[in-house]
Structure formats: C-alpha cells, structure tokens
Amino acid sequence: MAETQEASVGYMGEAWLGNPTTLYELNQVKSFPIPGKGQRDQAETTHLKSPNWRREYVSTFHADSDFDVVLNSRPLSTTDTLLDTAAGDDVVRPMKLVIPENGVPVAQVDLTVRCLNYERGEVNIDGVMEATATFRVVTIGAIVPYVAPGG
C-alpha cells in the first residue's frame, strides 16, 4: 500500500469521558495529546558473563502515562460538572479520543482513565478562561478506525 502521510490539523477532534460508564462528549475541547501506554521500566540483570560486555535488562512495569485535555472553561456546565466529579473520585472511567484528518474523524483510541486533577483556569481581563483536566491511563488500546457513537 502506498504511503499517504500528509500533514493535517486537529479540527473535529473529540474527547469523550464516561459518566461514569456511558460516554459523554466533552464540550469546547481545544487540545489533547494522543496518549501512549507509558514507558516500560527496566531492571538490570547484568552478570559476570553477560555477552559482549553489554549490560542486560528485563522489562518490568509500565510507568504511568499522564496527559492533559485543555478546553474552554465554563463553570457549572455539564462538561465542567462531569470533570469536577471525576477529579473528586477514584473511579476508573472509559474514554475515547477521536483523531481527525482534514476535519473528518478517521481514527480513535479507546482507553480507561482516572481523572487526577481538574483546574478551571484563570479569570483575567482580556483572555479566554481555559480549563485543564489531567488524566492517568489505566488501560489503552491501539489506534483503530473511527466508529461513530451508536455505530
């Protein structure tokens, strides 16, 4: 198959969070990274006869992978209330991040997360209030083709 890698923008990307089990689309999302599984820790197993004078390692635990979702802040909205509740409990929630290509959803990442923190932003004289929700990956799947809600 021919390579079709072309630059695109995040227009029409989406972030969905469980309330606590039914997915709800977070409104006014401005940005989010595409999270990964987290780096694997390594324990050294080098011994006196390690081949080729090289250190040896065995993979152990995945390090935690945290990421932020930035959105326009609107206190007491449904999105605000959901994120505030999620940050206040220890519930593992489903999440879906939709990745667009030129304004069309083409891929998604399904994962489970804990909301570690929710900051409602800063009130200032001439700027938009931005909220930031910080999530920790609990489980994560591969990037797969997009499936519309209810599809």
Side-chain angles (χ1 to χ4, degrees), residues 14-16 22-25 96 98 105 108 110 145-151:
E14 300 171 355
W16 296 70
T22 303
L23 287 175
Y24 173 81
E25 183 178 3
K96 176 166 98 169
V98 177
Q108 68 187 42
D110 295 305
Y146 173 71
V147 176

Side-chain angles (χ1 to χ4, degrees), residues 32-118:
F32 59 85
I34 301 171
K37 294 178 174 125
Q39 179 177 329
R40 292 284 299 269
D41 289 334
Q42 302 286 304
E44 187 173 340
T45 61
T46 306
H47 52 88
L48 294 175
K49 293 188 178 182
S50 289
N52 301 316
W53 290 68
R54 305 295 292 179
R55 295 190 183 278
E56 295 182 88
Y57 300 89
V58 63
S59 294
T60 61
F61 295 99
H62 287 278
D64 289 333
S65 176
D66 299 345
F67 66 98
D68 292 336
V69 174
V70 178
L71 52 152
N72 288 328
S73 179
R74 180 148 183 223
L76 303 179
S77 68
T78 303
T79 294
D80 175 74
T81 303
L82 172 59
L83 291 170
D84 187 53
T85 300
D89 60 29
D90 195 34
V91 175
V92 175
R93 296 166 182 262
M95 184 174 223
K96 176 166 98 169
L97 300 173
V98 177
I99 305 163
E101 185 176 300
N102 296 320
V104 177
V106 296
Q108 68 187 42
V109 178
D110 295 305
L111 60 159
T112 59
V113 297
R114 278 194 176 91
C115 185
L116 301 180
N117 192 34
Y118 178 57

